[in-house]
């Protein structure tokens, strides 16, 4: 075989491996982590406000609770799905963020997937943040259709950060913003 043919076959095998093997999953995961940037703080005059906290969700044990319990607190909301590689890549930074601020910020890391699937995913990835389950067709305090998407809400209900797509939540920009919001 010609060198050009061998080279072409190797490239085709590499591309196939990227899409259909665990090597490809790891590559896509790594690429997503590399492109994730720190979320941007919304200028005060452009911030929207959460006005209706009457939002029923399920906790990790599938017990119903109301989002109203977080009114007056700093809140982090993330919509995710275990089958989306970019969500998986983002969740590692969310785990670090959760470890730094659990007990100081109310975390709602929300999925609409089945509990068994989520528990298996959480165990496999060694994530310990609390999972919140969305109740489909119920009213929501924020848009839950975009996955991944995230919100940071201040104590007055202002949406200080809104990010659609993957972000890196384990960085100084986020931590300085959260520290300021907690202190207010």
């Amino acid at each position: 075989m010609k060198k050009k043919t061998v080279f072409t076959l190797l490239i085709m095998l590499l591309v196939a491996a990227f899409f259909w093997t665990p090597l490809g999953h790891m590559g896509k995961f790594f690429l997503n982590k590399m492109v994730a940037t720190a979320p941007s703080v919304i200028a005060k005059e452009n911030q929207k406000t959460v006005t209706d906290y009457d939002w029923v969700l399920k906790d990790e044990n599938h017990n119903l609770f109301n989002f109203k319990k977080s009114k007056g607190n700093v809140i982090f909301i993330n919509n995710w799905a275990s089958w989306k590689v970019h969500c998986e890549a983002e969740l590692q930074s969310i785990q670090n963020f959760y470890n730094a601020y659990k007990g100081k910020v109310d975390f709602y890391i929300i999925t609409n997937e089945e509990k068994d699937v989520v528990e298996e995913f959480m165990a496999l990835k060694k994530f310990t943040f609390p999972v919140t389950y969305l109740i489909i067709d119920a009213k929501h305090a924020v848009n839950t259709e975009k996955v991944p998407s995230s919100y940071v809400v201040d104590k007055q209900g202002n949406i200080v950060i809104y990010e659609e797509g993957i972000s890196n939540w384990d960085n100084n920009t986020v931590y300085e913003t959260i520290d300021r919001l907690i202190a207010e």
Side-chain angles (χ1 to χ4, degrees):
M1 268 197 250
K2 293 183 180 177
K3 286 183 181 181
K4 189 174 182 181
T5 304
V6 171
F7 181 72
T8 303
L9 286 173
L10 286 174
I11 295 294
M12 289 173 58
L13 284 172
L14 183 63
V15 169
F18 190 75
F19 287 103
W20 292 296
T21 68
L23 174 65
H25 177 80
M26 292 182 336
K28 288 183 259 183
F29 177 82
F30 179 73
L31 286 173
N32 273 283
K33 283 185 76 164
M34 295 297 293
V35 300
T37 59
S40 302
V41 176
I42 301 169
K44 191 78 169 161
E45 62 273 5
N46 296 326
Q47 293 176 2
K48 295 183 171 137
T49 304
V50 174
T51 56
D52 187 0
Y53 282 78
D54 189 18
W55 181 16
V56 178
L57 298 155
K58 292 180 186 176
D59 65 17
E60 61 270 7
N61 299 314
H62 265 221
N63 296 319
L64 296 174
F65 70 94
N66 197 301
F67 184 69
K68 284 181 187 178
K69 73 179 191 171
S70 291
K71 190 171 186 174
N73 297 335
V74 176
I75 304 166
F76 174 74
I77 301 168
N78 175 265
N79 298 298
W80 67 282
S82 65
W83 53 272
K84 290 193 169 193
V85 176
H86 47 289
C87 289
E88 180 184 345
E90 181 180 48
L91 288 174
Q92 185 58 57
S93 71
I94 290 172
Q95 178 67 60
N96 296 339
F97 176 38
Y98 172 75
N99 291 344
Y101 286 94
K102 65 182 166 191
K104 300 175 187 172
V105 171
D106 290 356
F107 285 86
Y108 293 92
I109 305 166
I110 302 171
T111 184
N112 65 1
E113 295 178 87
E114 295 295 322
K115 184 178 178 186
D116 294 343
V117 172
V118 171
E119 287 175 345
E120 183 179 330
F121 175 81
M122 296 290 287
L124 179 66
K125 301 301 176 184
K126 297 181 174 63
F127 292 139
T128 61
F129 51 76
V131 174
T132 305
Y133 293 89
L134 185 66
I135 299 174
I136 307 296
D137 296 330
K139 68 179 179 175
H140 308 127
V142 296
N143 183 350
T144 59
E145 293 176 14
K146 304 285 184 181
V147 176
S149 62
S150 301
Y151 299 82
V152 172
V153 181
D154 70 11
K155 293 176 182 178
Q156 294 75 40
N158 300 311
I159 298 172
V160 177
I161 297 174
Y162 170 67
E163 286 292 320
E164 194 175 299
I166 186 172
S167 294
N168 176 6
W169 294 95
D170 183 25
N171 64 69
N172 288 338
T173 302
V174 170
Y175 293 169
E176 289 167 6
T177 302
I178 295 298
D179 288 340
R180 180 179 50 79
L181 296 177
I182 291 170
E184 287 180 348

